[in-house]
Amino acid sequence: MDKHDGRGAGTARLDDPWYDASANGWGAPAGAGPAPGPAHVPVRDPAEDGPTAAEIYREVRDSDAFQEVRGRYRRFVVPACALFLTWYLAYVVAATAAPGLMGRPVLGPVNVALLAGLGQFASTFLLTWAYVRHARLRRDRLALDLRWETQQLTRGARG
């Protein structure tokens, strides 16, 4: 959608900061003038004071706050994954090793295998809900605070 200055129908404002005729190929006929050169990026002096961004990130990685966020993540994810994989493998093993058990009717045409398969879907949604709840209650605030502090530290960092 073009921005208009109101002077004429269909005229784009050239002072629009999002409009760059040379970048999008509009505004000049093909082959008119030299191709734009590379952008000039100022190089910072390596002798400047202050840590580099890599040093800041290493410091944050080694901090107690980051280790707490990672620990809370692992304390939920490792047991949850182990429990879910055990449940899934039990379903697969029972389906192949005990077809009589899995084929046993429960209610009309519904058998144990169908109920266990539907249980797989239900447990997937339950695990997703539990993960999101755990993240919201136990990790998100700490992670956002840590991200904010890291961004403040890296704002003036070199490299």
Side-chain angles (χ1 to χ4, degrees):
M1 184 163 145
D2 292 330
K3 293 189 177 186
H4 302 284
D5 60 4
R7 283 185 250 162
T11 58
R13 284 185 13 209
L14 297 180
D15 62 337
D16 184 1
W18 298 105
Y19 178 78
D20 187 3
S22 62
N24 63 22
W26 293 85
H40 174 68
V41 178
V43 179
R44 295 182 140 221
D45 182 16
E48 286 183 20
D49 292 335
T52 64
E55 292 168 343
I56 291 171
Y57 281 111
R58 278 190 221 104
E59 183 180 325
V60 169
R61 180 194 63 202
D62 296 336
S63 71
D64 290 336
F66 184 80
Q67 295 305 320
E68 178 66 24
V69 171
R70 294 298 296 165
R72 288 181 182 190
Y73 172 77
R74 283 189 207 107
R75 282 190 297 272
F76 179 84
V77 169
V78 171
C81 284
L83 183 66
F84 185 78
L85 287 175
T86 302
W87 160 232
Y88 175 74
L89 289 175
Y91 173 72
V92 171
V93 168
T96 57
L101 170 71
M102 297 299 272
R104 179 172 290 148
V106 176
L107 182 66
V110 178
N111 60 15
V112 173
L114 182 61
L115 289 178
L118 292 173
Q120 290 287 317
F121 284 104
S123 64
T124 301
F125 291 120
L126 180 67
L127 182 61
T128 302
W129 170 82
Y131 176 81
V132 169
R133 184 175 185 274
H134 179 270
R136 181 174 35 88
L137 296 177
R138 304 260 188 318
R139 290 192 329 263
D140 285 353
R141 176 56 53 196
L142 289 172
L144 286 173
D145 290 344
L146 190 60
R147 182 186 312 168
W148 179 260
E149 291 172 18
T150 304
Q151 287 177 349
Q152 294 298 322
L153 289 172
T154 58
R155 185 166 302 222
R158 53 189 172 95

